[in-house]
Amino acid sequence: MQTFLTVIVLLALVAMGVLFIVRVNAQQAGRPNPHRYAHLWESFRQRLHSHPHGAHAGPHAAGPPPSRDTGHDR
C-alpha cells in the first residue's frame, strides 16, 4: 500500500511540473525570438553601408584639437 501511495505522489509531482512548464511556455508564445546574434549583424551592416568601397570618410585632423583652456601656460 505504501508503494502505491508513493507512486501516486510521484506521478502527481510530475504532472504539476508539466503544468508549470506549459504555463511558462505559454507566456513566451506571443513574443518573437530575436536571433542570437542579431545585434552583431546590424552593427556589421551599418559599418558596411557607412563607407562604400573606395570612398573615404575624409581627411583626418593633424594633431590634437586646440585647447579651450587659455589661462594656463604649461
Side-chain angles (χ1 to χ4, degrees):
M1 184 67 179
Q2 186 176 1
T3 304
F4 179 72
L5 288 176
T6 303
V7 170
I8 295 296
V9 169
L10 289 175
L11 288 176
L13 287 173
V14 169
M16 286 174 43
V18 168
L19 290 176
F20 178 75
I21 290 173
V22 168
R23 183 173 177 176
V24 169
N25 285 339
Q27 292 177 352
Q28 301 292 328
R31 299 181 193 170
N33 290 335
H35 189 268
R36 184 174 180 179
Y37 300 113
H39 62 285
L40 294 176
W41 283 113
E42 189 62 34
S43 173
F44 182 69
R45 282 189 203 128
Q46 287 176 355
R47 282 184 276 150
L48 281 180
H49 291 299
S50 64
H51 302 293
H53 282 294
H56 297 287
H60 292 283
S67 174
R68 288 186 275 165
D69 189 16
T70 58
H72 300 287
D73 293 329
R74 292 187 187 181

